Amino acid sequence: MTDTSAPTTSRIPERPTLDGLEEKWMQVWRAERTYAFDRERALSLPRDQVFAIDTPPPTASGSLHVGHVFSYTHTDCMARYKRMQGLEVFYPIGWDDNGLPTEKRVQNYYGVRGDATLPYDPDFQPPSEGTARSGKAADEKPVSRQNFIELCDVLTVKDEEAFESLFRRLGFSLDWDISYRTIDDRSRATAQQAFLRNLARGEAYQAEAPGLWDVTFQTAVAQAELEARDYPGAYHRVAFHVAGAPGSVVHIETTRPELIPSVVALVAHPDDERYQPLFGTTVTSPLFGVEVPVLAHEAAEMDKGAGIAMCCTFGDLTDVMWWRELRLPTRSVITRNGRLQAETPEWIAGGPGEALYAAELATKTTFSAREAVVRALRESGDLDGEPQKTNRKANFYERGEKPLEIVTSRQWYIRNGGRDADLNAALIERGREIAFHPTFMRSRYENWVSGLNGDWLISRQRFFGVPIPVWYAVDEHGEVDHDRVLVPSENDLPIDPAAQAPPGYTEDQRGKPGGFVGDPDIMDTWATSSLSPQIAAGWPIGDGTSHGSDADLFGKLFPMDMRPQAHDIIRTWLFATVVRAHHEHGTVPWTNAAISGWILDPDRKKMSKSKGNVVTPEDVVKENSADAVRYWAASGRLGTDAAYDTGQMKVGRRLAIKVLNASKFALGFGEVSGDRSAGTTPEALRDAVTNPLDRSMLATLAEVVDKATHGFESWDYTRSLEVTESFFWTFCDDYLELVKDRAYGGRGEAEAASARAALRIALDTLLRLFAPFLPYATEEVWSWFESGSVHRQSWPSRDELPAGGDPAVLASVSEALAGVRKVKSEAKLGMRAEVRTMTLVGPAVQLDHVRLAEGDLRATGRIGDLAYGDGDGIEVREAELIPVDKRPSHSA
């Protein structure tokens, strides 16, 4: 306990209320820098006395939803607990403002779209701001890359200001002076430096390879960004002709007949007796007459469709696997815009399908091409029966609306164990160095890593992001040599190869023979946010003299202590961060991963912006209070999905209001004998507690302190809240009522002094126990009788409370009081009704407990003659009641 000034009744409002507390204390905390991180203190402390949090940078593109409130509240409760335990807490805030979400929001908000071929217009003004529009590309005004980036910068700053306001209102104890944006100079320099070091060590590489492509966003998509969805389609039973055997056919079943022009093989399982005679032979494709082999592979499914499948380049990821493992040729026809290529492919030119391709398929969408191919198959007789409708599983970009295509392009990758068994095993082992909370979430990490089938694709064909920091030499013939990669000095970072020349070159050599070209792509947003510990903690850039470099602090904080996040991005953010730390530092990025569940709507579906079922928290907080919303969030355990429940928020609001009112009551007895305000020690305050019931209450509270502390230490914040809240309601409903008469002096000053001291100690302890969950109500009450902030006080410990009390006394007396209340209620009388006479029966031990507090029970229950008798449980018998008129009474 801390020394404090004398309690001042003038500080206690006549009618305590939650209204206005957020505005009041937000300003105080901001002005007094209540939650500021003390760098110098951190550097002077042992590492285990510093607690560093890798705060998730929320995506700054629009509005937050209650899911953010849920997970960030969990983190904040732990931050507040660790701070009260005396640790120096590093709790930064970042904003993830680069990437596709921001670009899409800017397009919709301003009615523009980026066009890399246009020149920069310094006087450009967007056609509109924030008005509803169709979202079609034809309705968007094309602007230069630089103009588009400027609009992204402007809008994300606006969004971040709104987010900060909400986060402050919710009482998140972040140090707002330690902040970053994933597009700012330091973040870009950090991401580029990490990439260049990956490149130098051979962990980053470029390759021309088939990859997933979103035709709407016009960008490559990584495996971690996939979402499998049902997509309507139809099975088409199609005949391939066995070469050298006129009239002999092999039927395959496909949902994508438009890919027949790109078929490179038919594949069946090696154990499938139906097709074993065909292995090693060839067939010709319908309509186009292209000869392809019939091959065996273990991944073919004998019980799916006809059991034999066509391998095209490329229809799905199985095609890619077969193409790679069976060393098949590449015959791609689908281009980046989702249409079939304009020129007739060379393997079709001169064949029976040349005219069909040129007239019906070239430049067509996959949908139109499918219809054209099906018509032609009917006419040729190669379609067996009619298409059978089905729902097929298709891969979508998680933010996209159309199935992904697979196209061949040059992209950048970082090795992540998807093609290297030793690296895969090492990364699984790294996961075992991290304590997952709850522990079962580690299996999600391991399942993801062990199931990888390719390296991490990090390049994106977009505008607003961190540029790939390389150039390529142009040879004397004007051809770009992608094998001659030109890199900058780390001291020059961040750089934009589209606007700056590489070392040793001048801008006028761009694109010319003997000159250079810049890499046009940006990095995947995860390639930057996967470095959030390095960005926030000051990982040195170059020589360590710029862009917020702080080698001493980074050495103290890294690896960090806590990564809080949702379970659905274990495969992306968590894993990517582990990969970067493993490659760069040879360690894990943090020692604990706290994994939150989802927030579900009333239909038990995940809330998300894309599903349109989110609830924005601003109005919810204003209606219920920040403490009430935090209570709802803290009631959900880590790793467990929770329902959005305004009813639970109302419970939290009632609790916060009760904290105010009960505290007003507990502080309403004037001076306390032995009070610290009189210049005495906490020990003297404890010594003033002499009554067995008071000592019992504080002994019970000591058990609560132990359980609440254990809850936090075991990452079960919810348990800490539950045990504290449960005791608090018993404290209010039973103990306050039992000691009311005595605290007012009804049994003399010595007994009153014990009650008042016990109340003061209990209130001091309870406020600190509740502080991580209800920061506003607890801070308000603390200010009524103490100095400083409750959030900078020490976490309570058993040693602060008087020893020697028996928790069973309060339990037995509360049970007896419940019996008295019951008989009055059953008689339909108010609680102020007198009990002329009654018998209390129960086990002898419990009756002895009651006798220790008999005076309090008599006063509270308005009991006259009280007899005792044996019984199996506490029960009131033979009660004679006297109704009384209702009169005002003191109440908490």
Side-chain angles (χ1 to χ4, degrees), residues 145-407:
R145 172 185 173 130
Q146 190 56 40
N147 285 123
F148 189 84
I149 290 173
E150 288 178 357
L151 292 176
C152 290
D153 267 323
V154 170
L155 190 55
T156 52
V157 169
K158 287 183 180 179
D159 288 339
E160 286 156 16
E161 289 173 352
F163 288 13
E164 178 177 341
S165 175
L166 178 62
F167 274 25
R168 285 185 183 273
R169 178 173 289 275
L170 284 162
F172 297 154
S173 59
L174 299 147
D175 185 341
W176 291 96
D177 291 332
I178 308 175
S179 65
Y180 65 89
R181 302 170 62 213
T182 57
I183 200 63
D184 66 22
D185 283 354
R186 170 158 179 79
S187 295
R188 286 184 289 125
T190 301
Q192 290 182 338
Q193 177 172 278
F195 171 83
L196 291 172
R197 293 187 180 186
N198 291 140
L199 180 62
R201 292 190 296 261
E203 296 149 3
Y205 65 93
Q206 56 179 326
E208 184 93 21
L212 294 157
W213 186 266
D214 189 287
V215 298
T216 302
F217 289 105
Q218 285 292 289
T219 187
V221 175
Q223 182 181 353
E225 298 168 311
L226 299 185
E227 187 175 286
R229 303 178 196 165
D230 287 329
Y231 192 73
Y235 277 115
H236 303 76
R237 184 173 169 84
V238 178
F240 278 70
H241 302 268
V242 178
S248 182
V249 297
V250 177
H251 286 98
I252 60 98
E253 295 183 17
T254 179
T255 59
R256 301 205 62 183
E258 73 276 12
L259 292 180
I260 291 175
S262 64
V263 65
V264 290
L266 297 189
V267 182
H269 195 278
D271 296 336
D272 195 327
E273 297 179 354
R274 293 172 295 177
Y275 303 110
Q276 285 176 342
L278 292 174
F279 294 150
T281 67
T282 61
V283 295
T284 57
S285 61
L287 305 180
F288 303 100
V290 177
E291 191 169 351
V292 298
V294 181
L295 303 173
H297 195 280
E298 296 283 349
E301 301 175 76
M302 289 188 284
D303 58 351
K304 182 177 180 179
I308 188 168
M310 66 174 184
C311 174
C312 305
T313 52
F314 297 92
D316 57 22
L317 293 174
T318 302
D319 284 344
V320 176
M321 176 182 64
W322 284 338
W323 166 81
R324 183 178 292 120
E325 295 183 8
L326 298 175
R327 301 182 182 278
L328 297 169
T330 301
R331 293 175 182 161
S332 298
V333 294
I334 296 179
T335 61
R336 291 186 177 193
N337 62 10
R339 296 174 179 270
L340 274 63
Q341 68 182 54
E343 295 182 6
T344 301
E346 61 180 29
W347 59 90
I348 291 177
E354 179 177 18
L356 170 66
Y357 189 94
E360 300 289 340
L361 305 182
T363 74
K364 295 294 192 296
T365 65
T366 54
F367 179 81
S368 298
R370 185 179 308 134
E371 290 187 327
V373 167
V374 171
R375 284 196 303 270
L377 289 171
R378 283 195 184 97
E379 292 172 1
S380 68
D382 291 318
L383 182 65
D384 184 11
E386 284 302 303
Q388 301 298 310
K389 290 184 178 181
T390 185
N391 269 333
R392 64 185 178 95
K393 284 291 183 183
N395 284 322
F396 286 73
Y397 171 49
E398 58 190 0
R399 299 181 184 276
E401 299 174 354
K402 293 183 179 180
L404 295 171
E405 296 293 349
I406 298 178
V407 301

Side-chain angles (χ1 to χ4, degrees), residues 72-126:
Y72 281 83
T73 298
H74 290 174
T75 308
D76 189 63
C77 290
M78 181 59 84
R80 289 178 177 277
Y81 167 74
K82 292 294 184 181
R83 198 178 285 117
M84 296 178 75
Q85 282 283 16
L87 279 66
E88 192 60 42
V89 175
F90 181 78
Y91 192 11
I93 181 63
W95 306 106
D96 193 8
D97 47 15
N98 76 57
L100 281 170
T102 298
E103 290 195 23
K104 189 172 183 180
R105 173 156 164 73
V106 167
Q107 288 175 197
N108 292 336
Y109 190 85
Y110 291 114
V112 298
R113 58 182 171 86
D115 186 337
T117 65
L118 295 178
Y120 175 67
D121 179 359
D123 300 318
F124 175 75
Q125 293 294 322

Side-chain angles (χ1 to χ4, degrees), residues 817-832:
L817 179 60
V820 174
R821 288 167 171 165
K822 180 181 178 183
V823 296
K824 292 181 181 182
S825 177
E826 289 176 345
K828 295 182 168 43
L829 295 176
M831 291 302 109
R832 289 188 57 79

